[in-house]
Amino acid sequence: MAGATFILELIGRQRTSIAHQLVLLETMGEDHRNLGGLVRTIRNVVILAFTFYAIGTLFFLPRIQEITGFGFIESLWQSAFLSVSSFNNAGFSILPEVADSRSLAILDNQWIMQSVMVLLIMLGSIGYSVMEDIWRKRRPVRFSLDTKLVLIGSVLLWGIGFLTYFLAGFIAVGGQDSIGFGHQAGTAIFHSVSGRTAGFIIADFGAAEDFIKLVFTFLMLIGGASASVTGGIKINTFMVLFVAVVSFIRTRQQAEAFGREIPQTHVFRAVAVAALAMVFIVVTVPILTITEADALRAGDMQFLDLFFDTVSAFATNGSSTGIVPQLGTLGQLIFVAAMFVGRLGPLTLALTLAPESKTLYRYAQEPVKIG
């Protein structure tokens, strides 16, 4: 939607329809008072994205030349591709590969490259509206509630990913049985960020401890921030549910955080998004266990690996345990459907298919036993 608006501006069509603008505002997380500044916002999004693309390319260029030995033109192309893929949390790499499921094995021990990639992935995963709010208000106390929830939730999940990866045992790289403390910590930091949203893999997730796979499955399901380039149910959804639960425990009548009340409709929407995502996963995984029953019985595929890759597909993450080439045609088509539904969003798809209804009345309330 942002790309379509920018193209319309480039070709001289300065005015977009109100419906188009309202959908964009919903996507960007803006309120309707900013309707007039929509084109300016989209222009800033594009400018900011290409700025980060350029910065990442300049950092990667000399190091890719050194690592691969490519000439200037090829190194420039590789650097630009990796920079765009990192900021967009795409997870694609066209660097020389190795004969396993690690998409970035060539960058093992390349800490400067990994650090820049981590920064680009972080910026892409929190979204433009959060970056704009931070830039304009500078002081955390003045940040919007949305920005506070995204930042706190992101740091929390990055921390969980790091501790899980670091403490549950490192993933062997290159067949080694042990690596140094610094190497282990650096790898844990990279995968705690990339493993949740981007899908770049330096180590082999197929060789990971089951505990790591299980935790990262739920981290991928949450994904990044709303109005960002990431998939998943979104960190905003997770944090709204978290705030609602904490508020209930504190016997509050409404979901409250940082002296602000979250509208009840937003809580309902968060519940709907999370519930529809869980229903989709709960339905899809058992179907895959049927289509891939032979491989599971033969031990060529583990259930946890199948579960991990299914959630990764739904969250449009890209991390994999390496089982995808072993899937049958039907299983691969199911993965395609999972990626499509995950990218579009289960709530968006449900609202699109549901008949339009305007309720002009409310029923009498009646309590239901819970818990």
Side-chain angles (χ1 to χ4, degrees), residues 248 364-371:
F248 175 79
Q365 292 185 356
E366 183 174 345
V368 176
K369 297 181 179 65
I370 297 177

Side-chain angles (χ1 to χ4, degrees), residues 37-362:
L38 179 61
V39 173
R40 176 184 58 80
T41 299
I42 296 302
R43 187 188 303 119
N44 291 340
V45 169
V46 174
I47 292 174
L48 183 67
F50 276 87
T51 299
F52 284 124
Y53 297 158
I55 292 174
T57 301
L58 292 177
F59 269 99
F60 292 151
L61 179 58
R63 289 158 186 87
I64 287 182
Q65 282 185 297
E66 179 183 352
I67 295 170
T68 63
F70 290 150
F72 177 80
I73 298 299
E74 177 65 17
S75 297
L76 180 64
W77 163 240
Q78 293 276 357
S79 301
F81 190 99
L82 187 60
S83 179
V84 174
S85 185
S86 297
F87 182 76
N88 283 11
N89 283 240
F92 286 105
S93 171
I94 55 174
L95 289 168
E97 298 178 355
V98 293
D100 57 30
S101 59
R102 295 176 288 161
S103 61
L104 286 178
I106 193 174
L107 297 185
D108 185 31
N109 276 323
Q110 299 296 327
W111 304 118
I112 295 179
M113 290 276 292
Q114 292 182 31
S115 299
V116 175
M117 288 181 65
V118 164
L119 182 59
L120 290 173
I121 293 169
M122 284 180 168
L123 292 172
S125 68
I126 63 175
Y128 171 78
S129 59
V130 173
M131 286 188 282
E132 181 186 38
D133 196 40
I134 294 173
W135 175 258
R136 287 186 175 182
K137 297 179 180 176
R138 308 295 174 89
R139 297 172 57 188
V141 70
R142 300 173 59 188
F143 292 165
S144 68
L145 178 59
D146 183 74
T147 298
K148 291 176 181 177
L149 293 180
V150 168
L151 293 178
I152 292 174
S154 297
V155 172
L156 174 64
L157 296 183
W158 288 327
I160 291 174
F162 170 78
L163 291 175
T164 298
Y165 198 105
F166 186 78
L167 298 178
F170 75 96
I171 297 177
V173 177
Q176 300 177 19
D177 292 328
S178 61
I179 56 178
F181 179 87
H183 191 160
Q184 183 175 345
T187 304
I189 292 173
F190 182 86
H191 285 94
S192 69
V193 176
S194 175
R196 183 166 63 87
T197 56
F200 288 110
I201 300 175
I202 291 178
D204 184 7
F205 265 106
E209 300 287 339
D210 287 348
F211 179 66
I212 294 177
K213 295 178 186 176
L214 187 61
V215 172
F216 271 82
T217 297
F218 289 102
L219 292 179
M220 290 189 299
L221 182 61
I222 295 172
S226 299
S228 72
V229 296
T230 59
I233 65 172
K234 301 299 187 295
I235 188 68
N236 310 62
T237 302
F238 171 76
M239 290 303 293
V240 167
L241 294 176
F242 179 79
V243 167
V245 171
V246 172
S247 298
F248 175 79
I249 294 174
R250 298 175 60 193
T251 67
R252 304 292 188 183
Q253 295 298 315
Q254 304 291 336
E256 301 173 356
F258 299 103
R260 293 291 185 271
E261 180 182 305
I262 300 176
Q264 199 71 15
T265 54
H266 288 199
V267 177
F268 288 154
R269 177 176 293 188
V271 171
V273 169
L276 288 172
M278 293 303 298
V279 167
F280 183 84
I281 296 298
V282 167
V283 170
T284 303
V285 173
I287 293 175
L288 283 168
T289 62
I290 296 174
T291 63
E292 310 305 320
D294 292 340
L296 289 168
R297 280 195 295 265
D300 298 330
M301 186 183 301
Q302 300 298 319
F303 173 78
L304 185 56
D305 293 346
L306 184 63
F307 182 46
F308 181 96
D309 280 42
T310 303
V311 174
S312 179
F314 174 76
T316 61
N317 181 287
S319 296
S320 176
T321 58
I323 67 166
V324 176
Q326 303 174 34
L327 295 174
T329 301
L330 182 56
Q332 292 179 351
L333 290 176
I334 292 174
F335 267 48
V336 170
M339 288 184 281
F340 178 78
V341 172
R343 181 69 279 178
L344 186 62
L347 181 60
T348 300
L349 185 61
L351 292 176
T352 301
L353 298 177
E356 184 177 356
S357 175
K358 294 183 179 180
T359 303
L360 302 178
Y361 57 87
R362 293 178 60 181

Side-chain angles (χ1 to χ4, degrees), residues 4-14:
T5 303
F6 186 74
I7 292 174
L8 289 175
E9 185 189 11
L10 285 180
I11 64 178
R13 182 180 171 182
Q14 299 294 332

